[in-house]
Amino acid sequence: AQSVAQPEDQVNVAEGNPLTVKCTYSVSGNPYLFWYVQYPNRGLQFLLKYITGDNLVKGSYGFEAEFNKSQTSFHLKKPSALVSDSALYFCAVDSGGYQKVTFGTGTKLQVIP
Amino acid sequence: ETGVTQTPRHLVMGMTNKKSLKCEQHLGHNAMYWYKQSAKKPLELMFVYSLEERVENNSVPSRFSPECPNSSHLFLHLHTLQPEDSALYLCASSQETGVQETQYFGPGTRLLVL
C-alpha cells in the first residue's frame, strides 16, 4: 500500500524568509510525487511533480521540491515567502498501484507580514 | 481558473432529500474523478471514470451514485445522506488515468447535510 505523510498541520514563516513544507512517502515501486496548493474557497491547483530525472523539481510561483530517495522525502521549498503563498498545501504520491493517487492530510502555510 | 467547473458551489440538504452535483471540464480530458475533502483528513478518492467508464470505486456507500454521460460531464447523485457526509466534494480531470497525470480540480461543492 502506498501512503504519504505531512507531519506538520501548520507552518508559520515570516515574509521574505525561506519556507519548507515537509512530505514523506511510502510506496512499493517507483514513486511519482506531486504538490498541489489550495487557496481558500478554491479547488486544488497543481504546483509541481517528480517523475524521473533531476531530483530538484521546479514548479509554479517560484516553488521547488527535492526528491530524496534514501529519506523517502519530497519537501516543498521556496527561497523567499510571500504573504500570497498562504494556503493549504497537499503532497501526493502515485506508484501505479490499485490505490491510484494518494494525498496527504495537507499543511496550512501561514506567511506573516 | 483550471478549466473545471462545479455547480452548485454550496448545498444544504436534509437527510431525506435527493440532489445532484455537477462537474464539467473544458480541457478535452478523458478521465474524471470525484473526491471528498474533510477537515484534517486526506483527500478521499471516491470514483474514477476513464472515457465515460467507471474504473475505480473506492468502496463508497450506495447513497452516492456517479454518472458520466460523456467525457466532459460528471455527476454525483446524492440521496438519503448522513450528517457525516458533510464535506467539500471536489471534481478533477486529467488527460488519462496514468501515473504521471496531473489532475486539474474544480472549486468544489461545499455540502452540508442536516
Side-chain angles (χ1 to χ4, degrees), chain A residues 10-29:
Chain A
Q10 182 160 336
V11 170
N12 296 322
V13 63
E15 186 177 23
N17 283 4
L19 69 88
T20 299
V21 183
K22 296 179 180 178
C23 172
T24 58
Y25 66 90
S26 174
V27 299
S28 56

Side-chain angles (χ1 to χ4, degrees), chain A residues 36 38 41 43-44 49 96 103, chain B residues 9 37 99-100 102-103 106:
Chain A
Y36 288 84
Q38 185 178 32
N41 301 314
L44 277 69
K49 65 181 175 183
F103 285 83
Chain B
R9 293 295 307 274
Q37 184 179 14
V99 293
Q100 303 182 25
T102 298
Q103 295 187 26

Side-chain angles (χ1 to χ4, degrees), chain B residues 36-94:
Chain B
K36 176 183 179 183
Q37 184 179 14
S38 304
K40 300 292 178 67
K41 288 186 176 181
L43 261 67
E44 299 173 45
L45 178 63
M46 300 175 72
F47 301 103
V48 180
Y49 276 81
S50 177
L51 294 171
E52 303 143 47
E53 286 194 22
R54 189 189 306 179
V55 298
E56 192 76 27
N57 175 359
N58 283 351
S59 302
V60 179
S62 59
R63 56 186 183 268
F64 295 91
S65 175
E67 179 190 1
C68 188
N70 56 62
S71 59
S72 298
H73 293 87
L74 185 64
F75 294 89
L76 187 62
H77 303 300
L78 315 172
H79 65 97
T80 59
L81 294 192
Q82 304 298 311
E84 60 264 28
D85 296 323
S86 299
L88 182 67
Y89 288 84
L90 293 167
C91 173
S93 72
S94 62

Side-chain angles (χ1 to χ4, degrees), chain A residues 12-84:
Chain A
N12 296 322
V13 63
E15 186 177 23
N17 283 4
L19 69 88
T20 299
V21 183
K22 296 179 180 178
C23 172
T24 58
Y25 66 90
S26 174
V27 299
S28 56
N30 291 323
Y32 300 90
L33 295 153
F34 302 79
W35 275 103
Y36 288 84
V37 60
Q38 185 178 32
Y39 297 102
N41 301 314
R42 304 282 294 275
L44 277 69
Q45 294 178 34
F46 169 75
L47 271 181
L48 51 82
K49 65 181 175 183
Y50 171 81
I51 303 298
T52 187
D54 287 342
N55 290 340
L56 186 63
V57 179
K58 293 188 182 298
S60 307
Y61 312 120
F63 283 93
E64 59 187 27
E66 186 168 10
F67 171 64
N68 188 318
K69 188 172 183 178
S70 62
Q71 297 185 7
T72 61
S73 67
F74 190 57
H75 300 332
L76 181 70
K77 299 183 179 184
K78 187 174 181 181
S80 179
L82 301 173
V83 173
S84 57

